[in-house]
Amino acid sequence: MSPALDERDRIRAAMDRILSGKPENSNGALTIVALAQEAGVPRNALTQRHLDLKKEFYDHLRERGAVNDTEARLRDKITKLKKTIGNKNKELEQLRADVPALVRTVNQLTLENQQLRQALEGPQANVVPLVRPRP
């Protein structure tokens, strides 16, 4: 299917509307998807046929210092993930520090358990059974 003759003109007009903050056919997001929707063209018109217009749109965004919605969302996600990684690293460090103490405790309890078992197996000379007197 060949592109419409006025497709480039519609994309440029849509670009102007979105960049001026006056979208008519889209949510006005600073994305290629919104630009394609605003222009009434399929998204692949910008990602395959009119790469120069896509680049021009992103150049305008960079000039304005505007961050598109996708980039902002990804930056937020990266920040949250870095924070999560930091928390997990602290938790891992604490767990690694706790392991030697836990190993020492397990060894001590094992030794005490062995000593108690040996004491039960040996002669019980110190234990005298009590017999109740019969009435």
Side-chain angles (χ1 to χ4, degrees):
M1 186 166 125
S2 62
L5 297 176
D6 66 339
E7 191 173 71
R8 290 182 67 83
D9 295 333
R10 286 188 292 149
I11 292 171
R12 285 193 188 278
M15 195 181 312
D16 291 339
R17 287 193 304 273
I18 286 179
L19 292 173
S20 67
K22 299 173 185 170
E24 296 172 1
N25 304 315
S26 71
N27 62 3
L30 302 175
T31 63
I32 291 299
V33 173
L35 179 59
Q37 186 178 13
E38 183 69 24
V41 298
R43 185 177 63 90
N44 72 349
L46 289 159
T47 60
Q48 295 175 8
R49 289 194 296 266
H50 305 296
L51 295 174
D52 59 323
L53 293 177
K54 174 183 165 185
K55 181 183 178 309
E56 182 180 329
F57 181 67
Y58 283 136
D59 288 343
H60 284 300
L61 292 178
R62 269 192 292 283
E63 286 172 8
R64 296 174 60 193
V67 178
N68 67 36
D69 295 344
T70 304
E71 185 177 347
R73 206 171 39 254
L74 288 174
R75 287 183 187 276
D76 288 343
K77 185 70 169 178
I78 288 169
T79 302
K80 288 177 186 174
L81 289 173
K82 283 182 178 180
K83 194 175 198 178
T84 300
I85 288 171
N87 291 338
K88 293 297 179 186
N89 285 339
K90 286 179 188 176
E91 182 180 352
L92 181 60
E93 186 178 320
Q94 182 62 48
L95 291 172
R96 285 183 176 161
D98 290 345
V99 167
L102 293 170
V103 168
R104 283 192 300 276
T105 302
V106 167
N107 286 335
Q108 180 65 33
L109 291 172
T110 302
L111 180 63
E112 289 176 12
N113 192 17
Q114 287 173 351
Q115 291 171 348
L116 290 171
R117 286 180 190 269
Q118 287 172 355
L120 287 174
E121 290 174 0
Q124 300 178 1
N126 295 340
V127 178
V128 178
L130 298 175
V131 180
R132 287 188 179 175
R134 294 188 173 198

